[in-house]
Amino acid sequence: MKKKTAPIVAAVVLVIVVAVIYMVTGLVKKYTPSSEVMSAEEYFGLTNTENAALIVDSKVAEYQGRISDGIAYIDYAAVKELLNDRFFWDKEANLMLYTTPEDIIEIPAEGKEYTAGGKKLTENYDIVKVDGTMTYVALDFVQKYTNIEYSMFHEPDRIVIQSRWGETELASIRKRAKVRYQGGIKSPILREVEKNEVVTVLEPMEDWTGIMTSDGYIGYIRNDRLVDIHTEVLKRDFQEPVYTSVIRDHKINLVWHQTTSMDANYNIIYDIASVKGVNVISPTWFTVTDNEGSVDSLALADYVDTAHRNDMEVWGLIDNFSENIDFTKLMNTTSSRTRIENTLIAQSIEYNLDGINVDFENIPESAADGYIQFMRELSVKCRKNGLVLSVDVPVPMPFTEHYNRKELGTVCDYVIIMGYDEHYYGSEEAGSVASLSFENQGIVDTLTVVPAEKIISGVPFYTRLWNTTINADGTKNVTSEAMGMAAAKQVLSNNDVEAVWDESTGQNYAEFEGDDGSLYQIWLEDTKSLEEKLTLVKDYQLAGVAAWKLGFETDSVWDVILKYVS
């Protein structure tokens, strides 16, 4: 019996021993830290030995740079997105521009010279380098105009930049330790830190803390390796540019005056005969006509004299409505922008204008950088010549974010919200041109990036009469006609229709059936709807109101406007 059981016992013991060994091996494996070291090139995403990694404010950027002859260069796109959006690259002219409140600095590529304040200046390094499709800017030059500090490191090359200042949490290393890619002993090692080395604390957790080393490694370390955790206020002695603005000490009461011919200018005395309280008139005088920046002008000295005698400033309007221009090409070409700017300044001086109103509409994203650069450059020239610079922008929508209202609010004196065309010619559904909620939301959204004292609320003096017919296949055919207040009132009278107040839009609304059975609808602009919109100017303490357009109003609106902007 004993002889039979002995092999069984031995087998059981062997199984237990194997199981214990397996368990011990598993435990050892589980609790033994990994010794794997991640290569620095892999960590920093360096696949080209000529490139340098770019670490900006505790994050490895997708962009890269280069270190050449001891000078740090970074991708122009990184400068724009991460450090300073006021640099502008004209690739056709091989020219870098930087705009300050008082000057447009020109930096030709592949050279040490640049022009600032009308003077030729020189650095001891090439400021801009071009390599194929890539453009690099010397970080020393960027630093002249940007509140940043940076350090360079090698093996591999990398550039560590700090652009955020203020309270920062720091800690010292208690004893030599390993920084891992992620929290946990099995994560690959990035590098070792030495005793007393100072690191930036990024993400405290239960057992591990996310940190950044001074040479740009961002990883995790055991909590018990950190001591002297404290907060310091980091700052740099840097003077941010100051953009001065021409802000009038009274509310702006502006009306746009559509002038399509020189003869129309001579009607100003009749067109303003019933106007009350308007202190700015903006005639539609200037149009860009080609991609080289030519500008057609209808400016007339007699017009300006008449306006001035009636206590009105004249802000000449320029538009981009010509079908002969490629707006992206126009705005992205420095010589074309300069030609427009210089023409506007020359015309303003010649005809004694008080300001310029820029009404560039339907701006594609491809033209956004050039458009903002145009406004920066024009602002410098207006500032030097004492001209008010205003700009017309649509109500903020996701598809117009590229208008960069924040920068417009910085460089321009006034930002006019065009609070209309909620429904427009070509809309698939009939609706209000400017409901109260539409106007209100436009103001609220703009206030997040532009100060109230610079915002002018644009309101319509017009409405649209909508006609909806049902086609044989059941689809709708929607058309509309723009008309002024008096014409809209006449339409209702002719059709024996009475409008009813609509709380949802803050307007009087009417509808009626046409002779052909189609549906006519109209959301009226009148003194009551206008007053609803003017209360927003008062409630949000805006700079004033602008109305499109002179001649579409009834005389009674001027007394209403005066109640809110006098």
Side-chain angles (χ1 to χ4, degrees):
M1 189 67 172
K2 288 181 180 181
K3 289 181 180 179
K4 290 181 179 180
T5 58
I8 296 173
V9 172
V12 171
V13 171
L14 181 60
V15 170
I16 293 172
V17 170
V18 170
V20 169
I21 292 172
Y22 180 80
M23 289 174 61
V24 170
T25 301
L27 289 171
V28 170
K29 185 177 181 180
K30 180 178 180 180
Y31 292 106
T32 299
S34 170
S35 59
E36 177 190 356
V37 177
M38 179 182 287
S39 76
E41 288 76 13
E42 178 186 359
Y43 173 70
F44 289 114
L46 290 171
T47 56
N48 184 338
T49 56
E50 293 183 352
N51 287 356
L54 192 61
I55 302 94
V56 182
D57 295 326
S58 307
K59 183 177 180 181
V60 178
E62 61 177 302
Y63 303 102
Q64 295 182 349
R66 290 185 176 181
I67 298 175
S68 176
D69 297 326
I71 302 295
Y73 292 86
I74 67 172
D75 185 351
Y76 160 70
V79 176
K80 290 281 289 183
E81 182 176 329
L82 303 176
L83 302 180
N84 191 329
D85 186 46
R86 290 183 180 135
F87 281 88
F88 180 84
W89 173 239
D90 184 336
K91 65 180 180 180
E92 298 300 326
N94 229 25
L95 180 70
M96 185 72 70
L97 300 171
Y98 185 76
T99 311
T100 71
E102 300 85 21
D103 196 15
I104 303 164
I105 299 165
E106 299 183 352
I107 313 115
E110 307 294 350
K112 298 176 173 60
E113 289 188 347
Y114 65 103
T115 303
K119 299 178 180 178
K120 288 282 188 181
L121 302 174
T122 305
E123 299 294 344
N124 58 5
Y125 51 83
D126 288 338
I127 302 171
V128 177
K129 287 179 175 287
V130 179
D131 183 1
T133 60
M134 301 296 295
T135 302
Y136 297 93
V137 189
L139 204 47
D140 281 347
F141 194 84
V142 175
Q143 192 179 39
K144 283 178 176 288
Y145 305 101
T146 313
N147 193 11
I148 60 171
E149 291 282 6
Y150 76 94
S151 301
M152 292 181 285
F153 300 91
H154 303 282
E155 295 182 358
D157 283 352
R158 56 198 186 278
I159 305 164
V160 180
I161 301 174
Q162 181 170 347
S163 68
R164 294 177 187 164
W165 305 96
E167 290 190 350
T168 302
E169 196 168 19
L170 304 175
S172 295
I173 302 301
R174 184 171 64 85
K175 65 179 183 178
R176 190 173 187 179
K178 294 177 175 61
V179 178
R180 295 185 179 274
Y181 181 59
Q182 295 176 327
I185 61 173
K186 296 303 181 183
S187 183
I189 299 165
L190 297 180
R191 85 164 178 86
E192 290 191 347
V193 285
E194 302 295 331
K195 181 179 179 179
N196 297 327
E197 188 173 338
V198 176
V199 297
T200 301
V201 176
L202 303 177
E203 184 187 6
M205 299 188 299
E206 185 176 352
D207 299 313
W208 294 77
T209 293
I211 64 159
M212 175 176 168
T213 64
S214 60
D215 60 349
Y217 286 88
I218 301 159
Y220 292 83
I221 194 170
R222 284 184 179 275
N223 290 348
D224 60 6
R225 298 298 192 270
L226 299 176
V227 294
D228 188 26
I229 300 175
H230 63 285
T231 298
E232 287 188 15
V233 178
L234 303 182
K235 58 184 179 180
R236 176 173 178 259
D237 186 16
F238 179 80
Q239 184 64 50
E240 293 286 353
V242 177
Y243 284 83
T244 58
S245 295
V246 179
I247 301 295
R248 300 303 189 211
D249 59 3
H250 54 261
K251 296 289 186 184
I252 300 297
N253 185 355
L254 179 151
V255 66
W256 282 291
H257 188 200
Q258 188 173 29
T259 51
T260 56
S261 68
M262 188 61 73
D263 288 342
N265 281 323
Y266 292 102
N267 293 326
I268 181 175
I269 192 64
Y270 308 107
D271 293 341
I272 64 173
S274 300
V275 166
K276 293 181 183 179
V278 168
N279 49 38
V280 179
I281 191 166
S282 182
T284 58
W285 275 347
F286 307 115
T287 297
V288 186
T289 58
D290 59 37
N291 292 334
E292 286 69 48
S294 300
V295 176
D296 272 357
S297 171
L298 293 171
L300 180 68
D302 287 347
Y303 183 106
V304 178
D305 291 342
T306 300
H308 285 171
R309 286 197 301 271
N310 285 272
D311 299 320
M312 296 179 187
E313 293 186 14
V314 180
W315 296 359
L317 178 148
I318 182 167
D319 66 51
N320 63 336
F321 301 162
S322 171
E323 296 180 355
N324 298 323
I325 63 173
D326 177 339
F327 194 67
T328 296
K329 182 177 181 180
L330 178 74
M331 289 290 99
N332 288 338
T333 303
T334 299
S335 59
S336 299
R337 292 194 313 274
T338 301
R339 187 175 183 184
I340 299 170
E341 295 153 13
N342 291 345
T343 299
L344 289 174
I345 298 300
Q347 291 275 297
S348 297
I349 294 171
E350 180 178 355
Y351 293 101
N352 196 26
L353 303 188
D354 305 283
I356 296 168
N357 177 237
V358 178
D359 187 33
F360 288 166
E361 300 185 21
N362 299 316
I363 297 171
E365 286 194 51
S366 56
D369 280 350
Y371 164 67
I372 293 298
Q373 182 62 18
F374 170 78
M375 295 305 301
R376 290 192 190 105
E377 293 167 357
L378 184 59
S379 78
V380 172
K381 297 173 183 181
C382 284
R383 212 170 278 116
K384 288 181 177 179
N385 289 278
L387 294 166
V388 177
L389 177 60
S390 62
V391 61
D392 307 333
V393 294
V395 166
M397 293 287 180
F399 56 86
T400 63
E401 286 183 3
H402 59 279
Y403 277 61
N404 197 348
R405 292 168 178 82
K406 182 177 181 179
E407 185 73 349
L408 291 176
T410 297
V411 303
C412 298
D413 299 306
Y414 292 104
V415 174
I416 304 177
I417 306 170
M418 296 184 289
Y420 36 83
D421 283 345
E422 179 180 5
H423 293 84
Y424 49 89
Y425 178 79
S427 289
E428 294 181 359
E429 296 286 343
S432 169
V433 167
S435 67
L436 184 61
S437 61
F438 181 76
E439 182 88 11
N440 181 75
Q441 193 61 53
I443 293 170
V444 170
D445 291 344
T446 304
L447 279 168
T448 62
V449 290
V450 181
E453 63 269 19
K454 284 193 169 190
I455 296 176
I456 296 174
S457 179
V459 298
F461 280 165
Y462 70 97
T463 188
R464 285 189 174 277
L465 176 64
W466 298 87
N467 178 244
T468 302
T469 58
I470 306 300
N471 299 319
D473 60 1
T475 59
K476 290 182 180 180
N477 183 43
V478 180
T479 60
S480 68
E481 175 189 357
M483 57 184 60
M485 294 179 178
K489 186 177 180 180
Q490 189 62 49
V491 166
L492 299 190
S493 176
N494 292 344
N495 289 276
D496 196 23
V497 178
E498 185 174 340
V500 177
W501 184 253
D502 177 20
E503 288 289 348
S504 64
T505 60
Q507 293 170 299
N508 281 303
Y509 169 78
E511 64 178 57
F512 57 92
E513 187 176 304
D515 294 338
D516 58 355
S518 62
L519 174 65
Y520 284 90
Q521 295 171 282
I522 191 165
W523 287 261
L524 294 170
E525 286 299 341
D526 51 28
T527 54
K528 188 174 182 180
S529 67
L530 187 60
E531 185 157 18
E532 293 286 312
K533 294 177 175 66
L534 288 167
T535 59
L536 301 176
V537 175
K538 181 179 179 181
D539 292 346
Y540 291 113
Q541 299 181 349
L542 304 184
V545 65
W548 178 266
K549 65 177 179 171
L550 184 63
F552 270 178
E553 80 285 357
T554 54
D555 292 348
S556 57
V557 305
W558 300 116
D559 289 324
V560 176
I561 293 175
L562 275 174
K563 288 168 56 178
Y564 295 89
V565 298
S566 60

